Amino acid sequence: MCGIVGYTGFQDAYDVVINGLRRLEYRGYDSAGIVLDKKDNSFEVEKTKGKVDDLVAISHHLKNTAHVGMGHTRWATHGVPSDRNSHPHLSNDGKIALVHNGIIENYDTIKTMLKEKGFTFKSETDTEVLVNLIQYFMDTTTDIDFPTAVRFALNEVYGAYAITVMHEDHPGVLVVGRLGSPLAIGLGENEYFIASDASPFVEFTKEAIYLEEGHMATISLQNGVDIRTIKDNSKIEPAVQQLKLSLEQIEKGGYEHFMLKEIFEQPKSIHDTLRGRLLVEEGIIKMAGIWDHLEKFTNAQKITIIACGTSWHAGLIGEYLIEEFARIPVEVEYASEFRYRNPIINEKDVVIAISQSGETADTMAALKLAKERGAFIYGICNVVDSSISRITDAGSYTHAGPEIGVASTKAFTAQLTILALIALKLGKHNGNLGNAEFMSLISELNAIPKKIEEVLATTHDLIKEMAKDFTNTHNFLYLGRGYNYPAALEGALKLKEISYIHAEGYPAAEMKHGPIALIDENMPIVIIAPKRGHYDKIVSNVQEIKARKGKVIAVVNKGDVQVAEMADYVIEIPDTSECFSPIVASVPLQLLAYYIAVYRGANVDQPRNLAKSVTVE
Ligand code: F6R
């Protein structure tokens, strides 16, 4: 969603904030802004529609003017992206500055009240309402101090937020608060950092406090970090964590885009996801989260998987895996639909939430509902200590490492890896999966990182070349059957997100029930056709497409003849068990989407209108 950076210390605040904003730009990038508490104790704000580079173009005169400041990179919720709607927002008296990530749901009521008291508003944002509410409490409450005014205001609003606030009369003090959106405080020597995640300060300190839900903190060099509950001002002892994140992990490492880097990281990220969990020689899957709650899973009346977007596609494959190997009924739900349709869910159910960011508001809201109804909640998250991982009863991290490109790639294949482990573990435990089959599947799963290495080595150049033929294409179809139907959905999503070409995924057999009407010589159809998995049926589907002159891009196993002979473009991948084939087949589809987008001149890492973590419902 939006990214927040704050700083108080001895360094040039402009540099710290701007560099931090660049690292957080993946969270939102339609506008950016900065406020500095200058050495003469006056505020200076610069903000603009556009990217951090646009902000730098209008603000570089602020370099070396301050040691305290904060900035924001925005993904618009209230009000279009514009200079006026960009953060920071100032209170009417010009003394209070605020940056905000999230949504204040009752902003309209508060705005009406403030207008009646004479406040005026320059923007359409909910944030400007909050900063003026703080001024209102400062103006109208006797002997109130700045943090208390922030606390009073936060107690009046509902919604989701992470905020940082500065006051001109309280130089060097940053007040932060969190409800539903993440905020980390970096503890340096004689300096403090604030950020939506730790990436802006990882090169300066490895110590951080992740602010908990409903907490706020007052931060200054004089008094350190004072954490309180927003509700009743109770003091909280800070829990300091050691960061494992390295600078290398959040830099591009020679790749043109994060997305390409992340695609190429997949042999390692899958290996990391398996490490310590899959002990092939011993024939064991060790997953503490599952192990401790095996009976919950195997006695579950059903498992419901909740997720959004790419994670939802992973969930669909999870359904196939768990039903095939553990024979436990599984339903996969869009979190946003589950939440609002009064689902049948109770204490006999297990709910698995899948989320790369662990912050997705729709998934979070669905989980809260499932929790209220007594279900056992299991999380599959990539971001350690994220909000979703905190509210689950148990879970497994994917260990894919930071994913910065907005289009999810390595997190998806890591999610599939975890789901495969869960399905095999449950199947083995409840006796649906015999030992011989289990042993053969786990050794195949263990071989997946090597197979992806092979895919990257053998298909990259070919796909890079082939993608040139599709730069002016307007529509794409993606087809697959069985396990590869969700892989087709995911391939289509990747293409549309980053290249803005319309693409749809379908189960291959569904083509004849409608989409076949779209097929002509201008329609490229990506068809995932590994040998294992309804191959004969796929052959017929390809024949149907060719009869209508569609252009077939076939993802087949090495040495394939039948489909390859009919296809216009052939991408060969190594053979693997059907259930793992979407992990391998997804990689060339990611590359195809990537190169088509690159040739179309799209901003691959920051596609228009999207943000990496969607923290509003
Ligand atoms: C697609 C993509 C989104 C996310 C979705 C859920 O490339 O990134 O569709 O998958 O917004 O996000 P998480 O997994 O963070 O809950």
Side-chain angles (χ1 to χ4, degrees):
M1 200 82 337
C2 305
I4 291 178
V5 183
Y7 179 74
T8 179
F10 55 87
Q11 301 190 52
D12 176 20
Y14 180 78
D15 274 354
V16 176
V17 171
I18 293 291
N19 293 335
L21 289 181
R22 288 194 197 285
R23 299 240 172 96
L24 293 182
E25 214 170 12
Y26 74 90
R27 298 179 66 87
Y29 33 82
D30 58 46
S31 40
I34 186 168
V35 57
L36 296 180
D37 184 353
K38 297 206 298 183
K39 290 172 188 162
D40 63 3
N41 277 349
S42 66
F43 278 180
E44 186 160 345
V45 177
E46 288 292 359
K47 52 187 191 169
T48 180
K49 177 180 169 191
K51 308 247 178 205
V52 176
D53 278 344
D54 300 300
L55 174 64
V56 171
I58 58 160
S59 67
H60 46 77
H61 62 281
L62 291 176
K63 211 168 154 41
N64 288 320
T65 59
H67 295 303
V68 187
M70 62 188 189
H72 187 265
T73 172
R74 178 170 187 249
W75 186 84
T77 56
H78 292 71
V80 293
S82 68
D83 296 354
R84 268 185 319 122
N85 287 335
S86 310
H87 301 210
H89 288 281
L90 289 179
S91 54
N92 275 194
D93 63 7
K95 284 178 180 286
I96 309 168
L98 190 145
V99 290
H100 167 216
N101 169 25
I103 282 189
I104 307 296
E105 284 172 8
N106 57 337
Y107 82 105
D108 215 19
T109 325
I110 299 171
K111 193 170 184 174
T112 309
M113 180 280 280
L114 289 172
K115 275 183 173 167
E116 279 163 12
K117 307 276 178 206
F119 282 83
T120 57
F121 295 88
K122 296 193 181 97
S123 76
E124 296 134 78
T125 64
D126 49 349
T127 309
E128 198 186 5
V129 173
L130 182 56
V131 72
N132 280 307
L133 186 62
I134 298 170
Q135 185 198 320
Y136 170 73
F137 281 114
M138 291 291 284
D139 291 349
T140 56
T141 320
T142 336
D143 289 338
I144 194 166
D145 60 9
F146 167 43
T148 306
V150 175
R151 194 167 67 74
F152 280 12
L154 291 181
N155 274 310
E156 293 302 316
V157 300
Y158 55 83
Y161 55 77
I163 55 158
T164 304
V165 201
M166 289 168 35
H167 196 300
E168 217 173 40
D169 296 343
H170 300 263
V173 178
L174 295 158
V175 178
V176 299
R178 170 199 170 145
L179 191 73
S181 296
L183 207 63
I185 304 168
L187 312 173
E189 233 171 78
N190 293 323
E191 57 182 351
Y192 294 105
F193 305 83
I194 292 153
S196 302
D197 71 38
S199 60
F201 54 77
V202 69
E203 76 247 55
F204 303 117
T205 178
K206 291 279 185 243
E207 294 204 327
I209 298 167
Y210 285 90
L211 206 61
E212 300 279 344
E213 285 292 277
H215 289 179
M216 59 182 288
T218 305
I219 300 156
S220 67
L221 292 184
Q222 287 75 19
N223 299 316
V225 179
D226 178 39
I227 304 180
R228 306 270 165 170
T229 57
I230 294 170
K231 196 156 175 252
D232 53 18
N233 204 31
S234 309
K235 195 164 169 62
I236 303 286
E237 276 316 308
V240 179
Q241 298 194 16
Q242 295 299 319
L243 297 175
K244 294 205 180 83
L245 193 68
S246 72
L247 199 56
E248 198 184 50
Q249 284 178 301
I250 53 169
E251 288 185 334
K252 283 190 203 148
Y255 287 91
E256 200 182 333
H257 296 100
F258 281 111
M259 181 174 173
L260 190 61
K261 176 185 175 227
E262 287 156 8
I263 292 172
F264 270 86
E265 276 173 352
Q266 289 175 110
K268 180 173 184 311
S269 52
I270 294 174
H271 183 263
D272 288 348
T273 301
L274 292 173
R275 197 181 24 221
R277 289 171 167 149
L278 182 58
L279 311 179
V280 183
E281 308 274 282
E282 292 92 322
I284 294 175
I285 292 174
K286 245 178 148 178
M287 294 174 90
I290 296 283
W291 183 255
D292 296 344
H293 306 280
L294 266 174
E295 303 315 317
K296 280 259 177 228
F297 278 88
T298 47
N299 295 333
Q301 121 188 311
K302 70 173 181 305
I303 295 176
T304 302
I305 300 180
I306 292 174
C308 305
T310 290
S311 299
W312 182 79
H313 296 154
L316 291 177
I317 296 171
E319 174 184 19
Y320 287 29
L321 284 160
I322 296 171
E323 291 205 342
E324 176 170 358
F325 296 119
R327 310 302 299 155
I328 303 169
V330 180
E331 280 177 11
V332 187
E333 298 252 11
Y334 281 119
S336 53
E337 289 298 314
F338 177 84
R339 166 79 173 76
Y340 290 104
R341 65 166 190 81
N342 196 11
I344 299 170
I345 199 103
N346 57 42
E347 63 287 346
K348 294 192 200 111
D349 290 305
V350 168
V351 169
I352 300 180
I354 307 177
S355 175
Q356 186 287 129
S357 62
E359 302 293 343
T360 301
D362 288 320
T363 310
M364 189 77 176
L367 278 193
K368 284 184 179 155
L369 176 77
K371 215 177 164 121
E372 270 163 35
R373 304 227 172 142
F376 177 78
I377 315 284
Y378 199 85
I380 300 176
C381 295
N382 193 39
V383 177
V384 176
D385 263 336
S386 50
S387 305
I388 290 174
S389 66
R390 283 158 181 244
I391 68 158
T392 50
D393 296 306
S396 305
Y397 285 117
T398 40
H399 298 315
E403 189 181 67
I404 295 169
V406 164
S408 190
T409 52
K410 63 174 180 171
F412 174 65
T413 49
Q415 288 165 347
L416 298 186
T417 307
I418 288 284
L419 288 160
L421 287 170
I422 292 176
L424 299 180
K425 172 103 199 151
L426 294 178
K428 176 82 192 306
H429 177 75
N430 68 10
N432 280 299
L433 189 55
N435 198 47
E437 197 186 352
F438 175 79
M439 291 305 286
S440 135
L441 284 165
I442 60 171
S443 88
E444 190 51 39
L445 182 56
N446 201 39
I448 294 293
K450 273 257 161 288
K451 295 197 171 172
I452 293 188
E453 236 168 58
E454 188 184 329
V455 172
L456 290 166
T458 56
T459 67
H460 172 263
D461 292 353
L462 170 92
I463 294 172
K464 186 174 178 182
E465 201 44 43
M466 148 197 320
K468 289 181 184 156
D469 294 351
F470 301 103
T471 45
N472 296 318
T473 304
H474 296 296
N475 297 291
F476 258 86
L477 271 183
Y478 283 70
L479 305 177
R481 295 181 84 116
Y483 281 97
N484 283 305
Y485 152 53
L489 294 179
E490 174 59 11
L493 179 65
K494 283 297 82 95
L495 185 71
K496 69 185 135 193
E497 303 184 273
I498 60 171
S499 73
Y500 320 137
I501 293 175
H502 171 240
E504 284 190 64
Y506 269 96
E510 271 296 301
M511 182 186 67
K512 58 187 174 297
H513 298 288
I516 198 163
L518 298 169
I519 296 176
D520 62 14
E521 62 279 11
N522 298 317
M523 175 66 93
I525 296 121
V526 177
I527 185 143
I528 311 169
K531 266 270 178 267
R532 303 174 203 225
H534 324 286
Y535 183 76
D536 293 345
K537 300 277 181 206
I538 289 261
V539 170
S540 312
N541 297 138
V542 176
Q543 277 157 347
E544 287 153 16
I545 297 166
K546 287 318 295 175
R548 284 148 190 96
K549 299 196 169 61
K551 274 206 183 70
V552 171
I553 303 163
V555 179
V556 294
N557 284 144
K558 254 205 213 133
D560 181 283
V561 180
Q562 245 183 314
V563 170
E565 267 178 359
M566 288 187 282
D568 300 85
Y569 300 84
V570 177
I571 301 170
E572 288 191 328
I573 57 170
D575 179 31
T576 181
S577 307
E578 188 194 349
C579 62
F580 306 136
S581 62
I583 312 183
V584 181
S586 291
V587 177
L589 303 192
Q590 296 165 350
L591 285 171
L592 183 65
Y594 172 79
Y595 278 109
I596 293 176
V598 167
Y599 294 136
R600 286 166 66 87
N603 186 339
V604 174
D605 283 336
Q606 296 169 355
R608 70 181 180 208
N609 304 338
L610 296 177
K612 185 73 185 158
S613 79
V614 184
T615 54
V616 291
E617 274 186 75

